[in-house]
Amino acid sequence: METLLKNLKVEINDKIYVKDPESSDLGKRIVKHSIEMIYELGFEQFTFKKLGAAIKSNESSIYRYFENKHKLLLYLTSWYWSWLEYQLVLQTMIITSPQDKLIKGVEILTQEVTQDSSFSHINEVLLNKIVIAEYSKSYLTKEVDKENKDGYFAIYKRLVMRLKDLIVAVNGSYKFPSSLSSMIIDGALHQHFLKEHFSGITDCNKKITPTSYFLDLVEQLIINNGKK
């Protein structure tokens, strides 16, 4: 599975970028260093000028790949969701029990990334931390409806539907599978953020992970009720 993920070629909506960063060494360096800089500086303080200085290239060269830093963030988050989707598909395809598939799916989609899969230009550990801290900034904009219509969030939405299907397979009578699916995926990001920054308003800590919380939630709502 690890070998398959290392050879992963993520297909991202070509409207997000001007030129595919995977098509050149410069594009890959833009992606690699943007991840490192956004993690270090935060999205607000990150600029193409600073990125250009870090990769020793003109700021204008970055604009040949991305129209602005919002589009770059959309690219990074789309890559992350696609990477998670591949893991979900690969790790659940050989599991026959619907209940075990759901448990594995929730684990994959809520756990913190702690090991880099050795992509040459993408550090998944740092990217996971960026998604936790910055993902909402990719869609909390005035342009969200147009960007959604243009398919910018298609990978994320597809991932939500995959988890929804796992929920329905265990308990088809549950009335809100799509809402629960999106809540688990987004809620995991929120709980990881709270654990790090607002520990007083979450039960998650060093011993209790967001994954533990969501597995318990799914067991109470879906698995136990599905057995009745």
Side-chain angles (χ1 to χ4, degrees), residues 7-226:
N7 295 325
L8 169 65
K9 175 63 173 74
V10 174
E11 298 294 336
I12 295 176
N13 189 325
D14 59 12
K15 294 180 181 179
I16 292 177
Y17 52 78
V18 179
K19 179 180 178 181
D20 186 356
E22 293 287 332
S23 66
S24 70
D25 178 65
L26 175 59
K28 291 178 180 179
R29 286 196 293 124
I30 288 171
V31 171
K32 170 181 168 58
H33 287 277
S34 66
I35 291 172
E36 294 170 355
M37 292 188 73
I38 292 173
Y39 169 71
E40 180 182 353
L41 301 175
F43 185 65
E44 289 85 356
Q45 298 302 317
F46 168 79
T47 66
F48 281 179
K49 183 176 182 180
K50 293 175 182 177
L51 177 59
I55 63 176
K56 295 180 173 55
S57 180
N58 293 329
E59 182 180 355
S60 59
S61 66
I62 301 171
Y63 284 102
R64 290 201 291 270
Y65 289 85
F66 295 100
E67 181 182 343
N68 51 51
K69 70 176 188 177
H70 171 66
K71 292 289 184 68
L72 173 58
L73 181 61
L74 283 168
Y75 178 89
L76 295 178
T77 55
S78 293
W79 195 99
Y80 177 79
W81 295 127
S82 184
W83 177 71
L84 270 190
E85 183 183 33
Y86 271 86
Q87 291 194 67
L88 180 66
V89 171
L90 290 173
Q91 293 189 46
T92 60
M93 65 168 46
I94 60 173
I95 300 175
T96 56
S97 164
Q99 178 177 317
D100 291 343
K101 276 193 174 188
L102 176 58
I103 290 171
K104 173 57 72 174
V106 172
E107 288 175 349
I108 291 169
L109 298 176
T110 61
Q111 66 191 359
E112 182 178 7
V113 178
T114 58
Q115 184 174 356
D116 182 11
S117 295
S118 300
F119 282 90
S120 60
H121 62 296
I122 292 183
N123 184 318
E124 295 86 16
V125 176
L126 296 187
L127 185 54
N128 170 244
K129 295 183 183 300
I130 289 172
V131 172
I132 289 171
E134 313 282 5
Y135 176 59
S136 62
K137 296 167 188 174
S138 72
Y139 63 83
L140 293 178
T141 67
K142 289 290 187 181
E143 295 78 30
V144 62
D145 291 331
K146 180 182 183 303
E147 291 179 345
N148 182 41
K149 185 178 179 180
D150 288 339
Y152 289 12
F153 306 100
I155 299 174
Y156 165 76
K157 290 161 63 178
R158 191 169 67 220
L159 187 60
V160 171
M161 290 299 102
R162 286 189 183 278
L163 180 57
K164 184 209 78 170
D165 290 342
L166 295 181
I167 292 169
V168 171
V170 175
N171 186 349
S173 64
Y174 183 68
K175 295 179 180 179
F176 313 106
S178 295
S179 295
L180 179 59
S181 177
S182 59
M183 189 274 287
I184 289 172
I185 294 174
D186 283 10
L189 302 182
H190 188 56
Q191 289 300 317
H192 279 295
F193 187 86
L194 294 182
K195 182 168 70 73
E196 183 71 22
H197 302 287
F198 296 101
S199 59
I201 57 173
T202 178
D203 294 304
C204 297
N205 50 48
K206 291 182 179 180
K207 294 182 179 180
I208 302 173
T209 66
T211 298
S212 300
Y213 164 61
F214 286 107
L215 284 175
D216 181 77
L217 180 66
V218 166
E219 181 178 1
Q220 300 301 322
L221 280 178
I222 305 302
I223 296 174
N224 289 347
N225 289 325

